[in-house]
Amino acid sequence: MKYLVTALLITAILFGCSSVDYTQNRQTVFTSNYDTEGFLMYAPGLLKDDGFTILASDVENGILRANKSEAGKFNLDLIFNIDKNSREVKLTIANRIRLKDNDILEYYSIDEYNHDYEKYFLPVVLSIKSNAVKTAFPNR
């Protein structure tokens, strides 16, 4: 009996201390080599290829918003804000998880995210970031 109580207490401590609060707003920030128009020309294609629906693409305001959802499970939004002058891209990843009692809204960055949903957004986000920050070297 003593061992069972100890095991349950240790399990509760481990699970209680290892949780991350995803309800706090997080952003991923990087500087793009593309201007706003260039970024908004290539990024939607990558997102569509990965199953996202483009909800808004506004060159004037530098906004790109995409959504991927699975009925009854989750609703994932990617919101890119591009600064025209500095070419700084701020990416907000918001996920509304549907539970039977209520919905949970979680915010992710490429460093901190709920690993249950990484396959839905991380590969395409890393690809977009990689394409935006890479430098091409001409042949010599």
Side-chain angles (χ1 to χ4, degrees):
M1 182 69 179
K2 183 169 52 172
Y3 294 115
L4 179 64
V5 172
T6 305
L8 288 174
L9 184 62
I10 290 173
T11 304
I13 290 171
L14 287 176
F15 282 110
C17 296
S18 65
S19 65
V20 176
D21 183 16
Y22 294 116
T23 59
Q24 297 174 354
N25 199 353
R26 291 175 170 73
Q27 286 186 331
T28 299
V29 179
F30 56 92
T31 303
S32 174
N33 290 330
Y34 293 103
D35 61 357
T36 305
E37 290 179 16
F39 187 86
L40 293 177
M41 283 181 64
Y42 85 87
L46 293 175
L47 290 166
K48 285 179 185 176
D49 289 346
D50 199 53
F52 279 86
T53 303
I54 305 302
L55 301 177
S57 179
D58 186 358
V59 175
E60 267 186 44
N61 296 318
I63 295 174
L64 173 63
R65 185 170 176 204
N67 177 276
K68 181 187 263 188
S69 61
E70 193 170 307
K73 293 187 178 181
F74 68 90
N75 190 5
L76 187 66
D77 282 323
L78 302 181
I79 304 158
F80 296 88
N81 291 312
I82 306 114
D83 185 287
K84 287 187 176 191
N85 299 327
S86 66
R87 294 184 178 183
E88 182 179 79
V89 178
K90 292 180 182 173
L91 168 61
T92 304
I93 305 166
N95 188 17
R96 183 174 304 278
I97 301 168
R98 307 216 184 265
L99 303 172
K100 60 181 174 180
D101 295 338
N102 60 352
D103 291 353
I104 298 171
L105 184 61
E106 295 183 339
Y107 294 96
Y108 310 140
S109 70
I110 60 173
D111 299 321
E112 292 182 315
Y113 52 86
N114 185 335
H115 292 279
D116 293 337
Y117 298 96
E118 83 178 278
K119 66 183 177 183
Y120 298 110
F121 73 92
L122 193 61
V124 72
V125 167
L126 292 176
S127 177
I128 289 171
K129 181 182 176 194
S130 173
N131 285 335
V133 301
K134 71 181 176 183
T135 307
F137 296 98
N139 293 335
R140 297 189 183 232

